[in-house]
Each structure stands twice: as C-alpha cells, then as structure tokens.
Amino acid sequence: MQQIGFIGLGRMGNPMASNLCKKGFELLVYDVNPRAIAAFGQLNAEPATSIADIARACDIVITMLPSSAQVEAVVLGAQGLLAHGRAGQLILDMSTIDPNTTDLLAERASPKGISVVDAPVGRLASHADRGESLFMVGASAEDFERVLPLLRAMGTTIHHCGKVGAGMRTKLVNNYLAIVSCQLNAEALALAQRFGLDLEKTLEVIDGTTAFNGQLRMNWPTKVLKGDISAGFTIDLAHKDLSLILDAANKAKVPMPVAAAAREMFSAARAGRYAQSDFSAMIDVLCDLAAIEKPRLAASGIQTPTARE
Ligand code: NAD
C-alpha cells in the first residue's frame, strides 16, 4: 500500500484525513499546531515531527492549508516537500489558493519528477464530516487516476476539470457565487426583518421562485438561522477567497464590481468579532450595523421545503 501524508488538520483537514483512515488508508499526519494533531487521534495515523519527515516517507502528500503563503512554505520552503522529496511522488493540494501559485508549484516540481494535482473542495464542512464533499480536480489523466481512490474515500462527487490549475480556477468561479450569495442573503433578510415580515413565510416564498440560492438551501437553515454561527467556513477564509478572486479577475482583465463590494463587507466583518464565525453570519454583521433584530427560525421551526430534502 502507498504511504499517504496529510498536512493541515483544521476544520476541513481533520474530517478528510479521518475519512481516509476509516477507509483503510495509513496516514502520516502533520500540522503546525500541536493541538490539531492531538485532536486527530485516528488508529491508522502516525504523527510526523516535520514536513521533511513526510516528504521522505510518503508516496502521495495531501495538503489542506489556509492559503497560498502556507502552501508555498510547505511545498517550496527550505524544509519543504520538494527539498526533501524524490521522483515519483505526488503532491495533492486541496486548499483554496491562488491558481498562479498552483502553476508555480507544478513548474518547480516537474524537474524533480514530482507531480502536482490541485483538488480544491466544494460544499460545506458538514459534507466533509460525512465524506460527501465535491472535488474540482486539475491533473494529467495519469495523475487523476492515481488520486481517484483517495478522493473517493473523502467525497461523493469528483470532477476532472482539466490540466493542473483548472481545479483551482473552477473553485474560484464557484466560490465567487457561494460567498457573494451570503452578502445578498444578508441584505435581503435584513430588509425583511426591518419590514417586520414573517421569516418562515418569507423563506417559503423565495424557495418557490428563481430568487433562492444554494446558501439558503444548504447552509443558512442549519447555521445562522438556527443561531449557530460556529465556523464551518469562516468569514476570514471567505474574505481570503474573495481577494483571490479579485486578484485573478484583475490579472485576466475581468471587471467584477459586485465581488469588490462584497469583499469590502467581508473586510469590515473580519476586522471585528465575527472573523472566525461561519460566513452565514454576514446577516448578523449587517443586523448589528443597522440595529435590526437578527432573524432566527424557531427551534422547532418549519424548514424551507428544499432544506428538508
Ligand atoms: P483551518 O484554518 O481550520 O485549518 C488549516 C490548518 O492548517 C490548521 O490546523 C493550521 O494549524 C494548519 N496550518 C497552517 N499553516 C501550516 C503549516 N505551515 N504547516 C502545517 N500546518 C499548517 O482551515 P479549513 O477551514 O480547514 O480550510 C482549509 C482550506 O480549505 C482553505 O484553503 C479553505 O479556503 C478551504 N475550504 C474550506 C472549507 C470550509 O467549509 N471550511 C470548504 C472548502 C474549502
């Protein structure tokens, strides 16, 4: 069996690595935060003492890190995966990062005979917990086949989007819509609150028109609207993604005025006490600003028809 390394055991990395262990893969795991390693504790996993240990021992190394800077440090750093790796290895980066960084990693890894695959993750942290994630993969045909058993152990939907970097670019397009939806929902529901409308009735109406969106269907009814703003996906990480999206759009000369406005609302939110809250908490940020009562479904509240599915 191939030895698998897993670096980054945070909100997403922890359940993804757990699902690999549960499906029989043996992992060497590492996180810069010792508490994340201590919290992991799966039978099929050994903690590594450094990234160099992982590079020396593993055939495939998965990275699930916050952003480009951490992935660059782990892969390209003096004590990183390329410095201590060997030909035939594969680095599977599942973080959401700048696609130009993905291209750079692949360019630097290629002369060493090391492959790079990008497979950022779609859907929510709760899907990752259940092994029901969606993956957007950028890889050669051969490397795609090599990572497929790992992806199947962590998710249910796997898209081969094209060559290296295509997964990351698809993820930015996807996250633009998902994150901006949170800002749109926040504005719409704050207005509904100010109008004094019934929340459940309003959601039921929207659910029957073209106005409904994936955040209202899959995230809000079980998170902020139930009063749970603990992070699935933090406002801080959503701000990071909007910044990646705007940088990429600027380079490609694509104007995205709505993304720019939304990014600044997330900038304001992450500067305050909501930085580590779930991105659905953008409604609470707006309600605080405008002195509006926060919308909440009753504990036994009626869920919107689609949320029940
Ligand atoms: P997180 O902050 O919970 O976890 C990141 C982990 O990486 C932490 O445990 C941290 O200690 C570790 N880390 C940071 N720098 C490191 C380094 N140099 N070496 C080793 N470990 C290091 O973040 P998350 O929510 O798990 O997200 C991870 C990535 O997945 C991000 O790019 C995010 O945008 C993306 N993502 C998140 C979600 C979600 O719902 N949370 C969904 C899809 C994609």
PDB file of all heavy atoms in Angstrom, residues 187 209 269:
ATOM      1  N   GLU A 187     -28.384  41.022   3.007  1.00  0.00           N
ATOM      2  CA  GLU A 187     -29.092  42.272   2.693  1.00  0.00           C
ATOM      3  C   GLU A 187     -30.602  42.010   2.572  1.00  0.00           C
ATOM      4  O   GLU A 187     -31.425  42.774   3.092  1.00  0.00           O
ATOM      5  CB  GLU A 187     -28.539  42.882   1.409  1.00  0.00           C
ATOM      6  CG  GLU A 187     -27.090  43.369   1.569  1.00  0.00           C
ATOM      7  CD  GLU A 187     -26.471  43.885   0.271  1.00  0.00           C
ATOM      8  OE1 GLU A 187     -27.216  44.274  -0.654  1.00  0.00           O
ATOM      9  OE2 GLU A 187     -25.232  43.890   0.178  1.00  0.00           O
ATOM     10  N   THR A 209     -39.429  30.620  -5.989  1.00  0.00           N
ATOM     11  CA  THR A 209     -39.131  31.482  -7.134  1.00  0.00           C
ATOM     12  C   THR A 209     -37.675  31.293  -7.565  1.00  0.00           C
ATOM     13  O   THR A 209     -36.940  30.507  -6.962  1.00  0.00           O
ATOM     14  CB  THR A 209     -39.326  32.983  -6.776  1.00  0.00           C
ATOM     15  OG1 THR A 209     -38.201  33.419  -6.007  1.00  0.00           O
ATOM     16  CG2 THR A 209     -40.614  33.224  -6.007  1.00  0.00           C
ATOM     17  N   ALA A 269     -16.261  42.852   8.280  1.00  0.00           N
ATOM     18  CA  ALA A 269     -16.684  41.792   9.208  1.00  0.00           C
ATOM     19  C   ALA A 269     -15.484  41.112   9.860  1.00  0.00           C
ATOM     20  O   ALA A 269     -15.484  40.825  11.050  1.00  0.00           O
ATOM     21  CB  ALA A 269     -17.536  40.768   8.463  1.00  0.00           C
TER      22      ALA A 269
END
